[in-house]
Amino acid sequence: MSKHTLLSLSDLTKSFGGVLAVSEVSFEVHQGSIVGLIGPNGAGKTTVFNLITGNYLPDRGSIFFDGRDISGMRTNMIVSLGIARTFQTIRLFQNMSALENVLAGCHCRMRSGIFGAMLRLPWQKHEEREAIDIAAGELEFVGLDSNPDMAARNFSYGNQRLLEIARALATRPKFLILDEPAGGMNDHETRSLVRIISQIRDRGITVLLIEHDMNLVMKVCEELVVLDHGIMIARGTPEGIQKDQSVIEAYLGPPGNDEDEDF
Ligand SMILES: Nc1ncnc2c1ncn2[C@@H]1O[C@H](COP(=O)(O)OP(=O)(O)O)[C@@H](O)[C@H]1O
Ligand SMILES: [Mg+2]
């Protein structure tokens, strides 16, 4: 029996000026899986994410999520369908508290919205109370519940990444995409991130992540998709990808080139 396909990309293509950032990329993500999107810098990974989330419009190709064509949809519509993300460069409200940042994630599911909550009608008060419970729950889930009132800027870089994950989870997604979640984390933080990502999947949320930390990718992902110069050069299990000659060459250069990189 085939597994349910949650996300399906076919022939996805995007160029910027003369640069072909993503070229005819096709792959699927099955419901309940953790998939890694890897490849050298400039391979087109973040562009794939920006296409999925509606930040960029594809030149060609289609994106199906949960059976619906979402290519060309607005980002807030895509969030309401159940796709949440974090960013390669952290995007938090730096002067707002941890709890307020996560609440901003909840507001996309609320009837009253972020400003309507100020009117404080009884149903709005109830809705706001519920949102605070959800936000506090997500802070606890990522292990940041001890300082809910501290401004985001006062958290360590690694903890700011976890705060972004909590905010994404507060939108109650079916599908979470993480752009270099371990970037700037120390070994201890990376180990707890591995646990958190597995727990996210155990909650029934499908995960697609970009990551340079190969140790993390090998530990947490069941399947890897490899991009190089915008082209999908390989796809398979972490064990298979590690031995794939075209992947080794993409990271290390052709045989005879000794320059070491991330892989
Ligand atoms: N908004 C943009 N404008 C112009 N060029 C872009 C833009 N976004 C990405 N690119 C280019 O597309 C290519 C792929 O970039 P990116 O998707 O960020 O790679 P990765 O995330 O794999 O490092 C790079 O050559 C990058 O310079
Ligand atoms: Mg990137």
Side-chain angles (χ1 to χ4, degrees):
M1 218 182 81
S2 73
K3 285 184 272 182
H4 176 65
T5 300
L6 186 62
L7 180 83
S8 171
L9 309 181
S10 48
D11 292 328
L12 206 57
T13 301
K14 177 73 182 174
S15 53
F16 299 101
V19 180
L20 193 52
V22 173
S23 178
E24 296 177 355
V25 167
S26 305
F27 66 89
E28 301 87 46
V29 176
H30 297 298
Q31 171 107 48
S33 59
I34 303 176
V35 176
L37 182 60
I38 67 170
N41 278 330
K45 305 178 298 294
T46 297
T47 302
V48 168
F49 276 17
N50 282 325
L51 290 166
I52 296 169
T53 55
N55 294 85
Y56 295 157
L57 270 178
D59 297 338
R60 273 203 316 282
S62 65
I63 307 165
F64 275 78
F65 177 69
D66 222 2
R68 267 173 98 155
D69 188 354
I70 61 163
S71 34
M73 271 189 195
R74 298 166 66 97
T75 51
N76 47 0
M77 180 66 187
I78 290 171
V79 173
S80 70
L81 289 178
I83 299 183
R85 75 174 296 180
T86 64
F87 294 89
Q88 184 172 348
T89 314
I90 291 174
R91 293 193 195 175
L92 289 165
F93 301 108
Q94 289 290 334
N95 294 323
M96 279 166 54
S97 74
L99 188 72
E100 286 165 336
N101 269 280
V102 183
L103 267 173
C106 298
H107 282 117
C108 79
R109 294 243 176 251
M110 287 166 66
R111 281 197 293 161
S112 51
I114 198 159
F115 297 109
M118 292 190 290
L119 292 170
R120 312 208 40 87
L121 297 169
W123 68 265
Q124 287 171 325
K125 273 188 209 160
H126 174 74
E127 199 179 42
E128 190 63 25
R129 174 46 46 207
E130 252 180 16
I132 289 169
D133 286 347
I134 290 170
E138 296 302 351
L139 273 182
E140 189 183 351
F141 177 77
V142 299
L144 294 181
D145 49 324
S146 50
N147 289 307
D149 299 322
M150 189 161 90
R153 65 172 185 278
N154 293 326
F155 283 81
S156 73
Y157 199 71
N159 284 342
Q160 290 190 27
R161 290 218 175 269
L162 294 181
L163 203 47
E164 270 210 325
I165 292 177
R167 183 176 62 186
L169 290 170
T171 68
R172 283 174 269 173
K174 292 179 192 152
F175 185 51
L176 178 65
I177 60 188
L178 305 170
D179 198 344
E180 302 196 22
M185 283 191 174
N186 62 34
D187 286 351
H188 173 74
E189 289 169 329
T190 304
R191 272 196 300 279
S192 67
L193 178 68
V194 167
R195 201 181 55 242
I196 288 167
I197 293 172
S198 305
Q199 287 169 346
I200 290 171
R201 191 267 307 278
D202 295 344
R203 285 168 58 173
I205 300 168
T206 306
V207 180
L208 176 64
L209 63 97
I210 293 173
E211 188 47 64
H212 282 297
D213 184 332
M214 283 304 140
N215 197 14
L216 181 149
V217 166
M218 296 296 161
K219 258 190 209 142
V220 85
C221 298
E222 288 132 19
E223 196 185 358
L224 297 179
V225 172
V226 191
L227 291 186
D228 186 31
H229 298 291
I231 296 164
M232 188 174 91
I233 57 166
R235 181 181 159 184
T237 61
E239 298 73 34
I241 290 296
Q242 253 177 326
K243 298 190 202 103
D244 187 297
Q245 199 55 38
S246 59
V247 176
I248 294 167
E249 284 179 24
Y251 275 94
L252 304 178
N257 182 345
D258 285 341
E259 268 180 77
D260 204 6
E261 265 201 54
D262 296 317
F263 202 67

